[in-house]
Amino acid sequence: MSKKATSTKRERDPAATRQRLIDATVRLMVQQGFAGTSVDQICKEAGMTKGGFFHHFENKEALGIAAIEWWGRMGTALYAESWQDSTLDPLKQLHRMFDIMVGFTRRNDDAVVCMVGMMSQEMSATNPAFQAACEKELNLWTENVAKLLTAAKKLHKPKTKFDPIQVAWLLNSLWQGSMLIGKTCRSQQLIRDNLKLARDYVDGLFQAN
Amino acid sequence: MSKKATSTKRERDPAATRQRLIDATVRLMVQQGFAGTSVDQICKEAGMTKGGFFHHFENKEALGIAAIEWWGRMGTALYAESWQDSTLDPLKQLHRMFDIMVGFTRRNDDAVVCMVGMMSQEMSATNPAFQAACEKELNLWTENVAKLLTAAKKLHKPKTKFDPIQVAWLLNSLWQGSMLIGKTCRSQQLIRDNLKLARDYVDGLFQAN
DNA sequence: TTGGACATACAAACCGGTCGGTATGTAAAG
DNA sequence: CTTTACATACCGACCGGTTTGTATGTCCAA
């Protein structure tokens, strides 16, 4: 209804323009952080002028929040294949998830970074809106993983007692920390090594059969 | 010879002034990041003027690097008790280290954040000097932990094969990621839960005796 | 022709960094 | 023991440029 765009030349497409701004923001902020990225720079990257920008977003902060939310949706879509295939053994679903994460480290087009992790570090101590937006995304990831761990617990006997939520937070922390260190030490292999150990750790929670 | 300072009143103490600037920088940047903290702000926090500031540091970047190095020295001093007590079983040394980390989460005066982790996220993708400074500190931590794991391997039979360096990087990543998430989710308990699981993980690498 | 989607021009604050100057300490010459 | 000469530590005004954000204009589609 609202989206037509049937004509060949669609000069004006506000939704696409908005998304172009978000894309540019993610691309730049993932490299330079929030404070290190200027609105001018974003506009230039998106092929847009300042007036246009402030037509779509109230201010820079609103754009940052939108970029975080977009990153969250992208992530959820990326993991969906593993999180939602309920025909699979939940432990196999977790394996699929690790495979996806390893795949994420292999996109050689750009660095292995998480927008949420970056904004968390830079902003969540001082900006409540960013803190809340990041927390929401981190919670979502953890909840999905915890759900799989809980399901796995019903199918496989755990070797020792463990709390799925705690383990999920552990995995989330490890994932974020791996990307942080992988970036600074310029090693994607380091991230993959960590993922391998994490996978073994998860397997080790359950009795082999 | 050059340092006397026997008199009671020492108005001029350049080394202390320099340190005051570094302290102020750490205090502010750990909250607001590098780009988010202005030189004026640092000067105000340190009770100093811009002119004085640029007498001590060539530019803002030099101060940032100095602050990272200072943080590294502080960390090494903090861990020294566990890392250097070679009379102890290396596995006990690792336990001591985890205790120190838990203690770090209990300093209720300010948040549980790592200057190196923050600068890593914000700067290492764009600023080679910051990247190198952060990488150095991360390497140092990992090497010390890897050394303990190697020593522990000689004293205790490992349950399965593992590479001490890989495990040390895993622990470093987990530690950094825990502080990142702990900050955003405003939970120091989460950090402690992760540390507990990490400790159990390390214990689980070796056969109980 | 009206309103949304952009561009242009501009404002006001703020940024890192410089500069001229001053206060203080040191050391050697007289 | 002064006096002179110089180095160090620090101050605060200032500069050019950049920042976010606004006010206004234009153009095209419905």
Side-chain angles (χ1 to χ4, degrees):
Chain A
M1 201 78 84
S2 58
K3 291 266 187 71
K4 270 285 182 65
T6 45
S7 66
T8 46
K9 267 195 181 176
R10 53 208 142 118
E11 295 280 335
R12 297 194 153 209
D13 189 342
T17 303
R18 196 188 140 93
Q19 187 56 45
R20 245 170 51 227
L21 284 166
I22 291 178
D23 289 345
T25 302
V26 169
R27 229 172 302 136
L28 291 169
M29 287 196 183
V30 146
Q31 287 279 115
Q32 310 169 347
F34 181 80
T37 304
S38 72
V39 173
D40 278 327
Q41 213 178 347
I42 292 164
C43 291
K44 196 177 172 190
E45 175 86 6
M48 160 111 349
T49 53
K50 274 253 270 287
F53 171 85
F54 281 101
H55 174 74
H56 287 284
F57 294 95
E58 194 191 338
N59 50 33
K60 192 186 172 187
E61 175 180 316
L63 172 69
I65 302 289
I68 290 172
E69 286 166 352
W70 179 84
W71 183 271
R73 285 196 299 276
M74 187 210 68
T76 301
L78 189 71
Y79 290 118
E81 190 194 333
S82 62
W83 286 350
Q84 271 155 18
D85 186 353
S86 51
T87 66
L88 236 54
D89 175 347
L91 197 53
K92 289 266 187 291
Q93 285 183 266
L94 285 163
H95 287 166
R96 266 307 284 131
M97 185 185 80
F98 282 119
D99 290 341
I100 288 168
M101 289 156 85
V102 169
F104 188 73
T105 73
R106 290 224 155 90
R107 311 165 315 154
N108 50 359
D109 46 329
D110 46 11
V112 183
V113 208
C114 174
M115 176 84 180
V116 175
M118 281 206 68
M119 295 297 107
S120 279
Q121 280 281 32
E122 186 179 350
M123 306 298 291
S124 55
T126 52
N127 188 312
F130 274 80
Q131 181 267 329
C134 289
E135 183 175 5
K136 196 179 140 200
E137 304 302 336
L138 291 173
N139 271 324
L140 191 75
W141 195 94
T142 301
E143 275 165 26
N144 275 289
V145 174
K147 221 173 287 174
L148 292 184
L149 286 166
T150 304
K153 242 175 141 175
K154 280 178 188 148
L155 211 72
H156 307 273
K157 260 229 137 37
K159 205 170 278 180
T160 55
K161 279 189 205 300
F162 70 89
D163 176 8
I165 294 174
Q166 271 188 26
V167 172
W169 278 119
L170 177 95
L171 293 173
N172 199 347
S173 302
L174 179 60
W175 178 223
Q176 287 294 337
S178 297
M179 288 186 283
L180 187 154
I181 291 188
K183 171 165 63 175
T184 300
C185 296
R186 308 213 170 290
S187 164
Q188 292 163 267
Q189 187 57 50
L190 189 151
I191 305 177
R192 278 177 230 125
D193 290 344
N194 279 347
L195 287 172
K196 177 68 172 65
L197 291 177
R199 185 191 172 119
D200 291 345
Y201 173 73
V202 170
D203 285 342
L205 293 172
F206 305 98
Q207 291 177 11
N209 55 341
Chain B
M1 203 73 89
S2 60
K3 289 266 186 68
K4 271 285 182 64
T6 45
S7 67
T8 46
K9 265 194 183 176
R10 51 207 143 124
E11 294 281 336
R12 295 194 153 210
D13 191 341
T17 303
R18 197 188 139 93
Q19 189 55 45
R20 244 168 54 224
L21 284 166
I22 291 179
D23 289 345
T25 302
V26 169
R27 230 174 299 137
L28 291 169
M29 288 197 183
V30 146
Q31 287 278 116
Q32 310 171 347
F34 181 81
T37 304
S38 72
V39 173
D40 278 325
Q41 217 178 341
I42 292 165
C43 291
K44 198 177 170 187
E45 175 86 7
M48 161 114 342
T49 53
K50 271 252 273 273
F53 171 85
F54 282 101
H55 173 74
H56 287 283
F57 294 96
E58 193 191 339
N59 51 31
K60 192 187 173 188
E61 177 181 314
L63 172 67
I65 303 290
I68 290 172
E69 287 166 352
W70 179 83
W71 183 271
R73 284 195 300 277
M74 188 210 66
T76 301
L78 190 71
Y79 289 117
E81 190 194 334
S82 62
W83 286 351
Q84 272 154 18
D85 185 353
S86 50
T87 67
L88 236 54
D89 175 346
L91 198 53
K92 288 267 188 287
Q93 285 182 267
L94 286 163
H95 287 166
R96 265 308 284 133
M97 185 184 79
F98 281 119
D99 291 341
I100 288 168
M101 290 156 85
V102 169
F104 188 73
T105 72
R106 291 221 154 92
R107 312 165 314 154
N108 51 358
D109 46 329
D110 47 11
V112 183
V113 208
C114 175
M115 176 85 180
V116 175
M118 280 206 69
M119 295 297 108
S120 279
Q121 280 281 31
E122 186 179 350
M123 306 299 292
S124 56
T126 52
N127 188 311
F130 274 81
Q131 181 268 328
C134 290
E135 184 175 4
K136 197 180 140 200
E137 303 302 335
L138 292 172
N139 271 324
L140 191 75
W141 196 93
T142 300
E143 276 164 27
N144 275 289
V145 174
K147 219 174 287 174
L148 292 184
L149 286 166
T150 304
K153 243 175 141 174
K154 280 179 189 147
L155 211 71
H156 307 273
K157 258 228 137 36
K159 206 171 275 178
T160 56
K161 279 189 206 299
F162 70 89
D163 176 8
I165 294 174
Q166 270 188 27
V167 172
W169 278 119
L170 177 95
L171 294 173
N172 200 346
S173 302
L174 179 60
W175 177 223
Q176 286 294 338
S178 297
M179 287 186 283
L180 187 155
I181 291 188
K183 170 165 66 175
T184 301
C185 296
R186 308 213 171 289
S187 164
Q188 291 164 266
Q189 187 57 51
L190 189 151
I191 305 177
R192 279 178 230 124
D193 289 345
N194 279 347
L195 287 172
K196 177 68 172 65
L197 290 176
R199 184 191 172 116
D200 292 345
Y201 172 73
V202 169
D203 285 341
L205 292 172
F206 304 98
Q207 291 178 11
N209 56 339

